Amino acid sequence: ELKVEQNPLFLSMQEGKNYTIYCNYSTTSDRLYWYRQDPGKSLESLFVLLSNGAVKQEGRLMASLDTKARLSTLHITAAVHDLSATYFCAVVYSGGGADGLTFGKGTHLIIQP
Amino acid sequence: DAGITQSPRHKVTETGTPVTLRCHQTENHRYMYWYRQDPGHGLRLIHYSYGVKDTDKGEVSDGYSVSRSKTEDFLLTLESATSSQTSVYFCAISKGLESTDTQYFGPGTRLTVL
């Protein structure tokens, strides 16, 4: 059974600071996704990481993947209030057929002015 | 906009009643998914479909059935709703040719079972 663990689950930080969210998964997977969810809204795709050592950046967010350690990180640089949201990592389990995503429980991020 | 609509967007029903949620896509993608989201659990896969009349179970399929008679519509049915099925339900599609391509999510349906 594929398990995906995120930490921290809750993070309150100040604007201008840097921080990292971690995502560990338990079995080999083809790819890893990061999503953002605002309160009461749907999920928005942020990044897809396809291979070991992959790094993607968009604005103040940077995601990386280490498939050997089964670890992905989402790094926030010089946080701003608009980045307040819940962030999910999700992993594909390559069990054949149409593969669904296994999600972490999410990191609820609050960025204080 | 991922080209996905869900209906209804909100529903309150009573225990024991049947409920059907609809997911509609406008782009004829092959792969469609139903997830539920509950506090403390993230999202969990209920059922998925890899084509018309081709569906399979996900992690939390008990108490749910699905049907896909047309490419654009994927229906989720609760045959006899229970309070434990109170949740937010999201439909998703995979826009690529592979099921492992990025999934895009609909707006969600908030279901309350009293």
Side-chain angles (χ1 to χ4, degrees), chain A residues 12-32:
Chain A
S12 179
M13 56 191 293
Q14 288 185 317
E15 281 191 325
K17 301 291 187 181
N18 303 333
Y19 210 82
T20 300
I21 300 170
Y22 298 88
C23 175
N24 289 92
Y25 54 98
S26 59
T27 62
T28 302
S29 177
D30 287 347
R31 54 188 69 187
L32 186 140

Side-chain angles (χ1 to χ4, degrees), chain B residues 11-76:
Chain B
K11 186 172 181 65
V12 180
T13 191
E14 294 186 348
T15 297
T17 59
V19 177
T20 295
L21 308 182
R22 181 184 183 231
C23 176
H24 178 79
Q25 58 152 325
T26 59
E27 300 175 357
N28 290 323
H29 295 289
R30 179 181 178 190
Y31 300 103
M32 300 183 74
Y33 309 81
W34 277 107
Y35 293 86
R36 61 178 288 174
Q37 183 176 29
D38 305 289
H41 287 278
L43 280 82
R44 292 178 290 174
L45 181 66
I46 306 172
H47 280 279
Y48 57 88
S49 171
Y50 41 99
V52 173
K53 297 186 179 179
D54 289 325
T55 65
D56 208 342
K57 296 179 180 179
E59 178 189 357
V60 291
S61 60
D62 288 348
Y64 302 95
S65 63
V66 289
S67 65
R68 193 168 177 199
S69 58
K70 298 184 292 184
T71 300
E72 59 265 36
D73 288 326
F74 191 30
L75 303 181
L76 177 70

